[in-house]
Amino acid sequence: MASGPVVIEVRGKVAIVWVDNPPVNALSQAVRQGLSDAVAAVEADAKVAAALILCRGRTFIAGADIREFGKGPLEPLLTDVIARIEASPKPWAAAIHGTALGGGFEVALGCCWRVMDSRAEVGLPEVKLGIIPGAGGTQRLPRLTGVATAIEVVTSGRRIGAGEAQKLGIADAVVDLEPGEEFADRALAAVEAWLAAGTMPVPVSARPVPPLDAAEAEKLIAKAVERARGQLSPGEAARAVADALTLDFAAGLAAERARFLKLVGHPQAKALRHAFFGERELSKLPMLDGVKPRAVSTIAVVGGGTMGAGIAVAAADAGYTVTVLETDAAAAKRAAERIHGIYQGYAERKRIPADAVGVKAAAIDITTEIGDLGTADLVVEAVFEDAEVKRDLFRRLDKVVRPGAVMATNTSYLDPNRIAAATGRPAEMCGLHFFAPANVMRLVEVIETADTAPDVLATAFAVALKLGKLPVFARVCDGFIGNRIWATVRRHYEFLVEDGASPAEIDAAMTAYGFPMGPFAVYDLSGLDISWSWRKRNMADRAPDVRYVDIPDRLCEMGRLGRKTGAGWYDYASGKAKTDPVVEALIAEERARKGVTARPVAAETIQRRALAVMANEGARILEEGIALRPLDVDMVMIHGYGYPAWRGGPMFEADAIGLPTVLGWIEEAHAAGGPGFEPARLLVELVQQGRTLADWAQSR
């Protein structure tokens, strides 16, 4: 075999089966056919005693070919290819470098031996796409690791490093390469040593499953279902693994396939595919085609509070030289302690060695001299959310930051145009709105001001990507994409409270919908004073007919600012959120003052109102050109606000439900909320035309 994405090279008694399908050696139909043909060729060659799968490029077989997602199965099926490899009378080995994920890992599990580069990772991430492994992963893995570990791996979709893989029995050998050594040579030597030992290995499918009590297996399944918050695939993956305890391999494989086929066409899988592909589309912007970003190696962060410390750690971990500016020595000391605390948390969670904490924290320079920022390539402001404070800061930065450097504000709500106007170079300004904690949260809204230069925007995207973030383009409006939608739906949640629902009922309805926390619990966690400040700034001059709920303002006036003060919408005296009679009395008092007769509000009503308001405000944002595409709105809400990814985001879900139906719900929300909640013109027009938001996006 000398052509195509799979070729054979014979070295001694071993046939090296090279896979070369750039960029990530995906399991396309051609690769599957090539592997199937390679089995026949190896078996026909009397000089060959074993086969070794090696991959060109930066990774082993990375998984399914995403270009085949949503299409009918193309022969040969991966299950059949793996079965041929495993049934071969000549043993096969997989040499894993980079990553072996999904189908790639399943191919490796079908081999008799697995050799891993010490930096390699394996995993079965299918649950993140709303499906489960469909080529034997749920049946072979527990035969190596045991059912409990296999359930944890397939339901989390996490990656397993080489060291852990060896401990779990997944890797038969781990190779630490010296400079100049070739992985192929070391992997080949391992196979030759196994052959010399003269013992034919037992195929993974023929190995016994370590016993596990049935009741314990059921507990693990129940835990997976609970953690999934409505997503089906983790529960199905756990059940598939548990099948290995009661079914023989062939029956378990058939059951796995049936579960896979049930899920692959499910709306949840379609929504998760939308989220998966959406992440990869975020930085593909027409206005940046051919635009070269500016070089950035040094980043300065102004402000070492919670947000600034998180940004600094994210930048340092991405390989940038980082300086943090603080106001005085005491503030600098606190910033250093925050940064050290972040790394200490990493060590406690085994993300870094304990002895690396001090080294990493010390690598971030902290200064009180603004002149020390003069050589920075990018300056990110993360100070108090006050327009004049930020404007004054940028006036001072303008005098010291070198020409050509990019300056960014991390404001959540304020107008970056006004902030940029305080400088003499507004073209070099943009917004970089990180989400807290910035070292953890992946979302970053990249804000284009009226004057932002294209290469400045390109630089912001390039830096965000290097930080491992998901950058979403947005233009200037109050709250940009995420906070604008969140502020709007917050008002409607408050209307529902005034109309008869309790905060606890709304929280229960939205967690049942798939959110990790209910909105009122979130408000208490972030602090009620944040939205109070926004309301005082934005709602003070509201028209008399604009509906306004005074309950949250009165809570703030009482000093109930959330968890940080021990009370907000809930009471936290016991350490846990509990319904508070004081809040119940306040709500009843406000209803009486306004003449509102409380009525029960069903969970379904709460859920559809929330979706309707989010989709409607998202459509307004699209109308105004604040966001470019519906998927941008979806990605912001999923990655910044906990919208369940298996629902695809509010814009995707509105399309899936049907815009005429959702428009009816929006009209209900408008009737309850009054001015400010009118149906978006875009949605009305799309319903009249019989089109979807996806149609609209494709026609742009």
Side-chain angles (χ1 to χ4, degrees):
M1 295 174 64
S3 64
V6 180
V7 298
I8 294 177
E9 174 195 357
V10 178
R11 295 191 194 177
K13 294 182 178 181
V14 179
I16 297 180
V17 179
W18 287 103
V19 177
D20 188 7
N21 186 31
V24 292
N25 293 316
L27 279 164
S28 65
Q29 189 276 337
V31 170
R32 298 195 301 275
Q33 186 64 59
L35 287 172
S36 183
D37 293 343
V39 176
V42 166
E43 291 175 357
D45 191 334
K47 301 187 297 296
V48 170
L52 171 65
I53 301 176
L54 271 159
C55 294
R56 306 282 187 192
R58 58 188 172 89
T59 185
F60 189 72
I61 300 168
D65 189 337
I66 59 176
R67 291 169 296 186
E68 294 181 11
F69 278 27
K71 298 180 180 178
L74 300 173
E75 298 286 346
L77 298 180
L78 182 59
T79 310
D80 298 333
V81 173
I82 295 171
R84 288 205 67 188
I85 290 171
E86 194 173 50
S88 175
K90 298 179 181 182
W92 281 59
I96 302 168
H97 76 291
T99 57
L101 303 176
F105 186 25
E106 288 177 300
V107 169
L109 289 172
C111 294
C112 293
W113 299 303
R114 283 154 296 284
V115 187
M116 291 182 68
D117 180 292
S118 60
R119 298 159 297 182
E121 296 178 317
V122 297
L124 294 168
E126 285 87 349
V127 292
K128 296 180 180 180
L129 291 174
I131 56 177
I132 67 169
T138 67
Q139 300 306 296
R140 290 187 176 91
L141 186 62
R143 285 168 163 79
L144 295 174
T145 67
V147 167
T149 297
I151 285 177
E152 184 273 322
V153 169
V154 300
T155 59
S156 67
R158 72 177 178 91
R159 298 182 180 188
I160 301 169
E164 184 185 1
Q166 190 169 34
K167 290 177 183 176
L168 292 175
I170 294 169
D172 298 284
V174 172
V175 172
D176 254 324
L177 292 177
E178 298 294 334
E181 275 194 308
E182 291 291 334
F183 182 47
D185 295 336
R186 294 287 301 274
L188 179 62
V191 174
E192 289 172 337
W194 287 322
L195 283 175
T199 304
M200 183 67 180
V202 177
V204 174
S205 64
R207 301 182 193 185
V209 180
L212 180 71
D213 181 73
E216 182 61 27
E218 284 301 317
K219 287 180 184 177
L220 293 171
I221 293 169
K223 187 179 294 185
V225 171
E226 181 182 0
R227 283 198 305 264
R229 296 194 301 269
Q231 184 178 331
L232 299 176
S233 55
E236 288 297 300
R239 294 183 188 99
V241 172
D243 283 341
L245 291 168
T246 57
L247 302 176
D248 63 29
F249 182 78
L253 202 63
E256 175 196 78
R257 189 66 183 169
R259 294 184 192 280
F260 172 85
L261 292 173
K262 179 176 73 172
L263 290 172
V264 74
H266 193 278
Q268 287 193 9
K270 294 177 183 176
L272 285 161
R273 285 200 295 273
H274 167 73
F276 177 85
F277 289 118
E279 288 184 22
R280 284 144 186 82
E281 291 294 317
L282 288 176
S283 58
K284 297 177 182 177
L285 302 176
M287 74 277 275
L288 296 184
D289 279 350
V291 178
K292 185 179 179 181
R294 301 181 186 186
V296 175
S297 61
T298 303
I299 293 178
V301 181
V302 183
T306 301
M307 180 63 79
I311 296 170
V313 166
D317 288 351
Y320 291 106
T321 299
V322 180
T323 298
V324 175
L325 175 68
E326 261 299 356
T327 53
D328 53 40
K333 182 174 183 291
R334 290 192 296 272
E337 290 169 349
R338 287 188 192 97
I339 289 167
H340 189 277
I342 290 172
Y343 282 121
Q344 185 63 46
Y346 287 176
E348 290 169 0
R349 293 189 294 277
K350 310 297 184 186
R351 285 185 55 184
I352 61 172
D355 59 5
V357 172
V359 175
K360 286 183 172 291
I364 297 174
D365 185 41
I366 301 177
T367 182
T368 58
E369 297 295 328
I370 194 169
D372 290 343
L373 309 190
T375 59
D377 302 312
L378 169 65
V379 180
V380 182
E381 164 274 310
V383 301
F384 185 67
E385 193 76 345
D386 179 278
E388 289 312 310
V389 169
K390 292 180 188 287
R391 282 169 57 81
D392 179 65
L393 169 64
F394 277 98
R395 286 189 194 99
R396 292 185 289 127
L397 288 171
D398 199 26
K399 296 175 183 176
V400 298
V401 175
R402 70 168 182 81
V406 173
M407 297 192 292
T409 174
N410 181 56
T411 183
S412 302
Y413 284 104
L414 302 176
D415 184 351
N417 285 310
R418 288 197 65 234
I419 297 170
T423 76
R425 39 178 154 168
E428 296 186 326
M429 277 281 299
C430 66
L432 276 174
H433 177 214
F434 290 84
F435 286 68
N439 54 300
V440 176
M441 295 289 282
R442 296 177 66 202
L443 181 67
V444 177
E445 289 178 317
V446 180
I447 315 302
E448 180 189 55
T449 71
D451 298 299
T452 301
D455 65 336
V456 168
L457 192 66
T459 303
F461 268 88
V463 169
L465 289 168
K466 188 174 177 180
L467 295 182
K469 304 299 184 184
L470 292 174
V472 178
F473 173 85
R475 293 195 174 98
V476 176
C477 70
D478 193 42
F480 314 126
I481 298 173
N483 279 338
R484 174 169 162 178
I485 292 174
W486 194 241
T488 303
V489 76
R490 173 198 294 271
R491 289 183 60 205
H492 209 84
Y493 287 135
E494 291 164 1
F495 298 160
L496 289 167
V497 167
E498 198 169 68
D499 288 341
S502 71
E505 287 171 339
I506 293 173
D507 280 356
M510 297 316 295
T511 53
Y513 199 67
F515 281 81
M517 292 178 69
F520 292 94
V522 171
Y523 305 152
D524 276 356
L525 183 63
S526 59
L528 303 190
D529 49 328
I530 295 174
S531 58
W532 192 28
S533 173
W534 180 89
R535 288 193 301 275
K536 286 189 287 189
R537 186 175 68 249
N538 290 275
M539 301 298 287
D541 300 324
R542 64 187 181 275
D545 59 342
V546 171
R547 184 174 179 183
Y548 189 82
V549 177
D550 295 289
I551 298 166
D553 292 353
R554 292 192 58 186
L555 289 173
C556 292
E557 289 162 1
M558 295 164 65
R560 300 177 65 104
L561 303 182
R563 283 182 177 268
K564 61 188 175 185
T565 60
W569 288 98
Y570 297 102
D571 178 78
Y572 298 93
S574 66
K576 295 183 179 180
K578 291 192 174 180
T579 300
D580 193 335
V582 172
V583 177
E584 292 176 333
L586 175 61
I587 292 170
E589 180 183 324
E590 281 295 310
R591 287 170 180 162
R593 185 176 70 84
K594 291 189 175 181
V596 175
T597 301
R599 65 184 189 281
V601 183
E604 293 79 7
T605 300
I606 295 167
Q607 292 163 353
R608 72 170 183 251
R609 287 279 184 85
L611 168 62
V613 171
M614 284 188 262
N616 195 53
E617 196 64 26
R620 290 181 187 278
I621 287 169
L622 293 171
E623 279 176 22
E624 297 167 18
I626 303 301
L628 296 182
R629 303 158 295 191
L631 75 86
D632 294 325
V633 177
D634 287 335
M635 295 302 102
V636 167
M637 297 312 295
I638 287 171
H639 293 285
Y641 299 86
Y643 202 99
W646 56 267
R647 292 184 180 275
M651 314 314 283
F652 178 89
E653 190 166 20
D655 268 354
I657 291 170
L659 293 188
T661 298
V662 173
L663 182 59
W665 297 348
I666 292 168
E667 288 165 346
E668 290 177 13
H670 179 212
F677 291 87
E678 297 85 357
R681 175 179 50 81
L682 173 61
L683 290 182
V684 173
E685 290 177 354
L686 289 175
V687 169
Q688 291 171 345
Q689 296 162 5
R691 300 169 67 214
T692 65
L693 286 159
D695 295 335
W696 177 83
Q698 289 172 3
S699 67
R700 302 281 289 170

